[in-house]
Amino acid sequence: MKAIIIGGGIIGLFSAYYLNKSGWEVEILEQGDLTDNASFGNAGMIVPSHFIPLAAPGMVEQGIRWMFNSKSPFYVKPSLSPDLIGWGLKFLKAANKHHIERSAGALRDLSLLSKNLYQGLENDAYFDFGFADKGILMLFKTPKFEEEERYTAEKAVHLGLDAQYLTADECRKLQPDIELDILGAVHYHCDAHLYPNKLIAGLVNYLEKAGVKIHRNTPVTGIEHAGGNITQVISNDKSFKGDAYILAGGAWTPAIAKLAGLKIPLMPGKGYSFMVDEPRHRMTIPALLCEARVSVTPMNGQIRFGGTMEIGKINQQVNMNRVAGIVESIPQYFPDFAPALPRQKDIWFGFRPCSPDGLPYIGLSDKYKNLAVAAGHGMMGLSLAPATGKLVDEMLNNNTPSAGISQFKPDRYA
């Protein structure tokens, strides 16, 4: 049996990994050269704590306020684009309490499955990718965010996750050489982190040695179908045929899906990150700065700072105001961390594939019996990639899925 995977990002790579292990012949079609996909600049966090989808109550009101701040962590670029308008209306409809309650358990299960699979991958020692099971600290400075984080932590504990409220002094004891200016934190012991660059390079190397064919610089330009099945995928003057096809195109998924007559609403959410040296290695536990929505992750002897979510068309521009917003927020929490505004060439940016309800698309297509969709993971692509890849393998092998996927149906907006 042969599988054709459209997209060589982290979701496509893990789909290839599990299909290859179960005996499939696998080919990956990647429009780029695999040197800069959306997960390379990722914060590297594995986050069972993130059981609340982006489409949540309060995000609409907060998003409107942030629209008028050029350095804010969330921004929707105004446009008359039908895609953006349609996405926005669906987001508004999903941003309610019922949606959160309905989604929390499914997201938790997917994240815990992924973490378990990452641990297995690390233990198998195929390659080192800096996996560290030390949790993540949600740092807050204000009573408003303290109340929100304590409430979320209580929900997390109710869901069976390991979350602990900490005072500022208790936080300082965890990493005594770091100066902190915070009110407190929640320590999600259930979370972990890794170094994405090593993970992706290791996966690509492993897959190619295992016989997976990766076709770089091979954009999909056509999809042919007949009798309820995909029959072949076209890339310029080449055609690729398989028994099954996996659509894992990241932020480019809607355009690829359209070639097959499918509608999969997604908008790219641009994020930025940069690395700074930290020779004393004082930080060992990653952090999320609640008010600023900035991630801080120790990795590979440095610290990676990342943040922002710009919803709009794919573009290659670096918004230095957004990056400045990240830089300026850091010393507000860590007074002895004061990175300079990085040069534009040292700033990474990528496009997170954001569904309007904040849930990924994982499942078999209703229209084509041999097509699986694995896309729309938003900011959690790296976190959810192993679970998604394993579920793709289980679906195509008609095996019982390791986690529930009914809420992630790819045709839910058809």
Side-chain angles (χ1 to χ4, degrees):
M1 298 289 281
K2 182 177 180 180
I4 304 295
I5 299 175
I6 304 171
I10 192 69
I11 302 296
L13 293 176
F14 266 111
S15 296
Y17 174 80
Y18 287 104
L19 284 166
N20 172 265
K21 286 178 72 71
S22 69
W24 285 69
E25 180 185 352
V26 181
E27 294 190 42
I28 298 174
L29 312 183
E30 166 55 32
Q31 66 175 0
D33 60 6
L34 281 180
T35 61
D36 192 29
N37 68 39
S39 292
F40 268 109
N42 189 284
M45 296 179 175
I46 303 160
V47 284
S49 60
H50 285 34
F51 55 86
I52 296 177
L54 180 63
M59 268 306 295
V60 175
E61 179 185 350
Q62 180 65 72
I64 291 171
R65 288 200 299 268
W66 277 334
M67 287 279 286
F68 302 98
N69 179 357
S70 65
K71 296 180 180 179
S72 68
F74 182 80
Y75 178 70
V76 179
K77 187 173 183 178
S79 169
L80 295 178
S81 159
D83 290 338
L84 178 59
I85 293 170
W87 184 92
L89 291 173
K90 293 177 180 68
F91 184 96
L92 287 170
K93 185 176 180 180
N96 60 72
K97 185 177 179 181
H98 174 71
H99 176 58
I100 289 180
E101 292 175 348
R102 185 170 171 266
S103 305
L107 287 174
R108 171 204 60 195
D109 292 346
L110 204 59
S111 287
L112 290 175
L113 173 60
S114 254
K115 183 182 177 184
N116 183 57
L117 293 171
Y118 270 126
Q119 289 171 317
L121 187 65
E122 179 83 356
N123 293 337
D124 286 342
Y126 293 129
F127 51 88
D128 171 55
F129 51 92
F131 181 86
D133 193 6
K134 297 182 179 181
I136 290 174
L137 292 166
M138 301 290 290
L139 304 179
F140 48 80
K141 292 177 63 68
T142 59
K144 176 180 181 292
F145 275 85
E146 177 183 32
E147 181 180 358
E148 289 182 8
E149 292 306 317
R150 293 192 79 148
Y151 175 79
T152 302
E154 289 172 4
K155 290 287 186 184
V157 171
H158 181 72
L159 287 167
L161 300 173
D162 189 351
Q164 177 188 11
Y165 172 81
L166 299 175
T167 65
D169 285 341
E170 288 171 329
C171 285
R172 294 183 183 103
K173 290 176 182 177
L174 292 176
Q175 298 171 114
D177 294 329
I178 299 176
E179 186 179 350
L180 286 173
D181 183 5
I182 58 171
L183 186 59
V186 173
H187 191 178
Y188 283 95
H189 298 279
C190 54
D191 292 355
H193 73 284
L194 53 79
Y195 184 32
N197 305 58
K198 279 189 175 182
L199 171 68
I200 294 168
L203 262 179
V204 170
N205 182 57
Y206 171 86
L207 291 172
E208 292 190 312
K209 285 183 177 179
V212 173
K213 295 179 182 177
I214 301 178
H215 302 276
R216 295 164 173 82
N217 302 307
T218 306
V220 171
T221 55
I223 297 176
E224 296 184 3
H225 52 87
N229 283 292
I230 303 294
T231 55
Q232 64 178 343
V233 172
I234 310 298
S235 175
N236 296 322
D237 59 345
K238 299 179 182 178
S239 65
F240 300 87
K241 296 181 179 180
D243 299 289
Y245 299 81
I246 299 94
L247 176 50
W252 288 264
T253 294
I256 301 169
K258 191 175 182 180
L259 297 173
L262 296 174
K263 187 175 183 179
I264 300 178
L266 280 180
M267 288 300 295
K270 184 191 285 185
Y272 300 97
S273 73
F274 57 92
M275 304 280 281
V276 300
D277 291 329
E278 216 291 293
R280 292 172 58 191
H281 305 305
R282 294 170 293 171
M283 175 173 280
T284 58
I285 305 172
L288 286 168
L289 314 183
C290 294
E291 290 86 353
R293 305 291 175 104
V294 165
S295 62
V296 186
T297 313
M299 56 174 70
N300 201 43
Q302 295 178 296
I303 295 180
R304 175 172 288 174
F305 298 101
T308 80
M309 174 72 86
E310 289 182 19
I311 303 293
K313 290 184 178 180
I314 291 175
N315 66 78
Q316 303 303 310
Q317 298 171 347
V318 173
N319 187 326
M320 293 302 292
N321 275 337
R322 301 281 169 209
V323 180
I326 297 172
V327 171
E328 291 167 11
S329 72
I330 295 162
Q332 295 175 22
Y333 297 78
F334 302 102
D336 53 353
F337 286 174
L341 182 68
R343 295 172 296 181
Q344 187 165 320
K345 71 180 186 65
D346 295 325
I347 298 167
W348 174 93
F349 66 90
F351 302 96
R352 311 176 187 100
C354 299
S355 69
D357 60 4
L359 301 180
Y361 297 106
I362 306 171
L364 296 173
S365 168
D366 288 341
K367 188 172 183 178
Y368 302 110
K369 296 187 287 289
N370 64 341
L371 175 66
V373 178
H377 294 70
M379 294 182 289
M380 297 191 289
L382 181 135
S383 182
L384 299 178
T388 301
K390 185 169 180 60
L391 288 166
V392 166
D393 173 67
E394 291 167 344
M395 286 186 288
L396 295 180
N397 285 309
N398 295 312
N399 294 331
T400 302
S402 298
I405 56 174
S406 61
Q407 288 183 242
F408 308 136
K409 283 177 62 65
D411 302 279
R412 61 185 183 267
Y413 289 114

